Amino acid sequence: MGTAGGTFLSIVPNIHSEDIARTVILATVGAVVSFTISLLLKSINKKHKK
């Protein structure tokens, strides 16, 4: 726990606000794409079962 906390605290000062914004945007895009592909695959799977 101490090692993880020390690593985290040593990384925090090196993170810039634009890095955080970029990470949030990429995570959002990734989640949306994943959800969309999941729905598409479910739809294709239902059509093949009929």
Side-chain angles (χ1 to χ4, degrees):
M1 196 60 130
T3 303
T7 303
F8 176 73
L9 290 176
S10 68
I11 291 173
V12 169
N14 295 323
I15 298 176
H16 303 292
S17 61
E18 61 268 3
D19 292 336
I20 294 172
R22 182 180 301 136
T23 301
V24 168
I25 291 170
L26 288 175
T28 304
V29 169
V32 169
V33 168
S34 176
F35 181 73
T36 304
I37 295 298
S38 176
L39 289 178
L40 179 67
L41 290 175
K42 280 184 183 180
S43 173
I44 291 171
N45 194 20
K46 282 183 181 179
K47 287 181 182 178
H48 282 330
K49 284 187 176 182
K50 289 184 177 180

